[in-house]
Amino acid sequence: MNIFTLEENIGEELLSVQTEDEFFRDERRHAVLKCLNRIDPDCREALWLTFFEGLSYAEAAAVMGINVKKVDNLLIKGKQRMRTELAKEGITRVEEA
């Protein structure tokens, strides 16, 4: 199934075709970013550094200026909060891309 979306490009409207999978992947990505913005900034930074930037806990701790145990605690709290926020968006399980 194809979903048609309108995009603007330098004042012109373009008609682009997205597959259903691409559409839902973009929607899921948007929901995750929206939820990340709702959680505590320290938890968000720890999650971003480890999950999106691929840093180890030790590297994230160095960037944040805290110890590794604190990073671990922030990640536990952040993941719990993200599950709650994602559930509000209707995302209750991890789906493979």
Side-chain angles (χ1 to χ4, degrees), residues 33-71:
L33 292 175
K34 190 163 97 172
C35 292
L36 271 171
N37 283 324
R38 290 187 205 145
I39 67 172
D40 175 76
D42 289 334
C43 292
R44 178 173 52 239
E45 184 177 10
L47 287 168
W48 187 267
L49 291 172
T50 57
F51 285 96
F52 297 99
E53 297 293 328
L55 298 183
S56 68
Y57 286 23
E59 292 167 327
V63 169
M64 297 177 73
I66 59 177
N67 64 46
V68 175
K69 181 62 178 166
K70 178 72 174 171
V71 169

Side-chain angles (χ1 to χ4, degrees), residues 4-21:
F4 295 92
T5 59
L6 288 176
E7 296 178 350
E8 290 187 25
N9 185 12
I10 312 173
E12 298 176 29
E13 290 183 356
L14 297 175
L15 187 61
S16 69
V17 179
Q18 277 187 319
T19 66
E20 187 175 18
D21 287 342

